[in-house]
Every structure is written in structure tokens, then in C-alpha cells.
Amino acid sequence: MGTSQRIRSGAPVLPRRRGSVLERAILDAALEQLGAVGWAGMTMEGVAARAQTGKAALYRRWPSKEALVADALRLGLPQIGAPPDLGTLREDLLCLVMRMREAMYSQGGIALRAVLDECDHAAAQPFVDLIIQGVIEPGKELILDVVRRGITRGTVRADATAAIVADVAPALMMYRAKIGDHRIGEQDMADLVDHVMLPLLRP
């Protein structure tokens, strides 16, 4: 049946995409569906419909939902950027946690949390490893960069470079996001810096 016949018959005309363009559309659709319906509600059929392609196009590239989600998460890993250097410890920390907040609520960040919240431990482990290597460890290193710069300036105590110090801000943010009854706001980030991080770090 030709295109004109499909149009006359009322059948949908799907966009003709191939190669990397189609793959990107499928991965974007997977992230969108994860954010919309969560891990349990996500299906290959739903992703295909959102990407406006056939289910066979997914299975030719990814043998399972898990494989598709792994590639989608790699694509959507939120980036926090370079360590800020704004002149003071408070400004640097506030800039950094605000970036972390933006990453948490980005499309990729929402998808990551959907997977972690719904998968059992064994099923989630490959995704946990991906998140640790691609998001958690780089974020902690940025915090330690700010801490080390503060030590050089004399505004941070010299023994504040323990790895657990870098866990504090991300852990509190994840805790508040998971059990809190509201979206984490800018004032929450200011409170985190003023009432937790600065007292923890100051000489």
C-alpha cells in the first residue's frame, strides 16, 4: 500500500528514520516513558509507540527492556559541569548543589530515580553501577574539589577531605527527594549549605 493509500485509509504515516536518528528517538522515548510511568509501567510496546516506530525496530537493537534502559540511561546521565570557583566557599557550594538539583530533576535524573526506586536489588545492580560511575563519583569529586580549594583559602578545616564528607549533600538530597512531600526547592539548597555543609566544613 502506497503513502497516498495509507493517508486515504486513515492509517498513520510514521516518519521514516534510520540509523542513529532512529536510535536517538527510541532512547529519548525510553527516558520519557521511564519518567512518565516508571520502571514497572515501561514496556517495549510503549516505547515504540512514543518513538513512532515499530516494536521490531527496538528488538533489532536491544534484546530486552533492561538492555534498552541501560543505553537510555547512559544517554541521559545528567552532567554537573566543572567545579565552580566563585570566590567564596558558600557561593561555590550553593552553585554546586543547585546544579545537582537541576540534574536530579532533569529527564535523565527522573529516569534514574524511577529505576532505582522500583527495581529490586539484583535487577537494579547494573543500573546502580552505571549511576555510581557516571553520576555519583563525578559529583563527589566536584564537592571535594570545592573542599580542597577552601582548605587552600583557609576557610575549610584541613581534615575535611574524607570521602564521607562528599556523601553528605547528595545523600540528603536523595533522602528528601524520596520521602519528602514536595519538590526540593532553591531554599532547601540554601538551607543545606548554610545549616549542614558550612558548619561541617568550617575550621
Side-chain angles (χ1 to χ4, degrees):
M1 181 185 291
T3 300
S4 60
Q5 290 174 297
R6 288 198 302 271
I7 293 173
R8 286 196 299 269
S9 68
V13 180
L14 300 180
R16 295 178 63 84
R17 294 159 301 170
R18 295 184 176 88
S20 60
V21 174
L22 177 58
E23 288 184 6
R24 179 58 187 257
I26 294 171
L27 293 172
D28 284 339
L31 288 175
E32 291 169 6
Q33 197 182 39
L34 273 173
V37 302
W39 168 264
M42 176 185 170
T43 64
M44 298 291 267
E45 292 82 358
V47 173
R50 191 178 287 265
Q52 295 185 299
T53 189
K55 188 171 63 173
L58 276 66
Y59 282 109
R60 280 198 297 270
R61 295 164 173 81
W62 298 279
S64 65
K65 171 179 167 178
E66 289 77 9
L68 172 59
V69 168
D71 277 355
L73 292 180
R74 289 188 188 94
L75 171 71
L77 285 177
Q79 303 298 313
I80 304 175
D85 188 1
L86 302 177
T88 70
L89 176 63
R90 184 183 188 277
E91 289 177 336
D92 287 350
L93 286 172
L94 187 57
C95 177
L96 187 51
V97 297
M98 286 297 292
R99 286 190 205 164
M100 293 168 68
R101 171 182 171 270
E102 291 173 6
M104 177 178 286
Y105 289 112
S106 68
Q107 183 184 65
I110 292 171
L112 287 172
R113 287 190 286 121
V115 170
L116 291 180
D117 289 347
E118 295 185 43
C119 286
D120 61 40
H121 179 74
Q125 193 57 50
F127 306 126
V128 171
D129 294 341
L130 174 64
I131 294 164
I132 289 173
Q133 296 166 15
V135 179
I136 302 300
E137 292 302 328
K140 289 168 60 176
E141 187 56 36
L142 290 177
I143 292 172
L144 290 177
D145 284 342
V146 169
V147 168
R148 286 188 284 263
R149 187 184 299 121
I151 292 173
T152 301
R153 290 173 177 158
T155 57
V156 173
R157 57 188 176 83
D159 62 345
T161 57
I164 196 169
V165 172
D167 286 333
V168 172
L172 280 174
M173 292 173 67
M174 291 298 291
Y175 171 80
R176 293 291 294 272
K178 190 173 182 64
I179 71 165
D181 58 359
H182 68 285
R183 182 184 177 96
I184 299 175
E186 294 184 10
Q187 186 58 50
D188 295 306
M189 295 296 91
D191 289 344
L192 170 59
V193 170
D194 292 333
H195 300 301
V196 179
M197 296 306 296
L198 289 178
L200 174 67
L201 296 172
R202 280 176 177 153

